Amino acid sequence: MDKQDQGQKRQDIRHRLRYIKSLPTLPPIASMLNKMVEDEEMTASRLGSVIEKDQVLTSKLLKMVNSSFFGFPQRIGAVSNAIVLLGFNVIKTLIVTSSIFDVMQSSDVGLWEHSLGCATAAGIFAKRHGLKNPEEVSTAGLIHDLGKVVIRAEFTKEYEEIQNMVKERGISMREAELECLGVAHPEIGGWLIKQWNLPDRLILPVIYHHNPEDATDFRDIAAIVHFSDILIRAVGFGSGGDKWVPPLDHKAWERIKMGKGEMKEVLNELDEKIIELKDFTLRMQQTKGGAGE
């Protein structure tokens, strides 16, 4: 594919994303929450009262917040308490992505597990580095491969071709996506969540999780998601769609570099979390349509 064909293909894909039908649409409540979150005088109680009007959403949210994924020591029984603990933007993102993860849970368990594992590792690194909102960094890890869900759901013919290329030629999914579509999953995921009006501190780490130093901002978050993606691939929890561990960006590693002792502590913490996640994902699969503990 020459550069002209590649550019045209990218434009076609971006156009199709605007009219995407095979993925769940953005929940109507998300638009309302977008406006409410921007209000500096908004309180957790007022925001919680809006979310609690949707029983299904409230149930999913509380089950997710009480799961081992977040690891809070006490049970959280009210949405307003969850908002206080996680922050407005994390709650909004969980609501926006909950329908997407229903699709992932039912169609691609391996990718869903990989995403949860990446989110967990990202949260651990963010806390170690004292980032202001580690839960939001974890959320960036959760949605970093959203573009793969989009390709599978919306570009079925191309997805099959990509799968064959990965299998027959032994190349990575990203390489196959670029060759087949002219654009890869990070950019596609970024386009979609930009349409959802999520903040740049989530959009940029998604787009640049393979090349974090190219991000115009939030390189520290992009670097953490980048390394978390690699680490979870290396550990072997879930599946990113191919057998390859992505190459490490050494400049990004310099941003989060740890000594052997601290890295060993991180790996021990991650091992414990992954055991809990395995239990969590099994329960989720047994509870159709819910995000269970």
Side-chain angles (χ1 to χ4, degrees), residues 32-258:
M32 188 185 299
L33 290 174
N34 273 332
K35 294 178 182 175
M36 295 179 74
V37 166
E38 298 303 321
D39 183 350
E40 293 181 357
E41 296 183 358
M42 182 53 55
T43 65
S45 175
R46 282 175 60 199
L47 199 62
S49 68
V50 171
I51 296 172
E52 284 168 351
K53 286 183 172 59
D54 186 324
Q55 292 179 332
V56 174
L57 187 58
T58 297
S59 173
K60 284 184 179 180
L61 197 58
L62 289 177
K63 284 179 180 176
M64 178 68 89
V65 170
N66 281 297
S67 72
S68 53
F69 175 64
F70 284 105
F72 292 117
Q74 295 179 324
R75 288 196 65 79
I76 299 162
V79 172
S80 58
N81 291 340
I83 294 170
V84 170
L85 286 167
L86 294 176
F88 287 2
N89 281 317
V90 172
I91 294 295
K92 187 179 77 173
T93 307
L94 287 178
I95 289 169
V96 166
T97 56
S98 63
S99 53
I100 292 295
F101 275 83
D102 283 348
V103 173
M104 196 185 287
Q105 183 187 342
S106 61
S107 64
D108 195 339
V109 174
L111 182 59
W112 177 56
E113 288 179 335
H114 168 72
S115 300
L116 288 170
C118 181
T120 300
I124 293 172
F125 283 116
K127 286 176 184 172
R128 290 266 173 176
H129 282 271
L131 295 195
K132 190 176 177 183
N133 295 304
E135 291 81 9
E136 202 163 48
V137 180
S138 182
T139 303
L142 188 66
I143 61 176
H144 78 286
D145 271 346
L146 188 61
K148 290 180 181 174
V149 185
V150 175
I151 294 170
R152 180 176 182 137
E154 182 65 14
F155 304 94
T156 50
K157 183 181 172 186
E158 291 89 346
Y159 178 76
E160 189 175 338
E161 189 177 343
I162 289 166
Q163 291 288 295
N164 289 335
M165 290 166 74
V166 169
K167 187 176 179 181
E168 292 169 7
R169 292 167 51 190
I171 61 177
S172 70
M173 273 200 83
R174 186 167 173 239
E175 289 173 302
E177 289 163 358
L178 284 169
E179 191 171 324
C180 182
L181 299 169
V183 62
H185 65 272
E187 201 168 356
I188 291 175
W191 287 343
L192 187 61
I193 62 176
K194 196 170 185 179
Q195 287 182 185
W196 290 347
N197 292 319
L198 294 186
D200 283 349
R201 56 186 174 275
L202 292 176
I203 295 171
L204 293 175
V206 167
I207 294 175
Y208 295 103
H209 71 264
H210 283 292
N211 49 331
E213 290 302 302
D214 290 342
T216 54
D217 204 352
F218 306 110
R219 288 179 184 165
D220 50 352
I221 301 176
I224 286 175
V225 174
H226 168 72
F227 188 68
S228 300
D229 179 27
I230 290 172
L231 185 59
I232 288 300
R233 287 265 202 149
V235 167
F237 182 61
S239 170
D242 58 49
K243 64 182 180 181
W244 304 110
V245 176
L248 175 67
D249 182 322
H250 291 281
K251 287 185 179 177
W253 170 242
E254 289 297 322
R255 291 182 180 276
I256 59 173
K257 194 172 183 178
M258 294 178 171

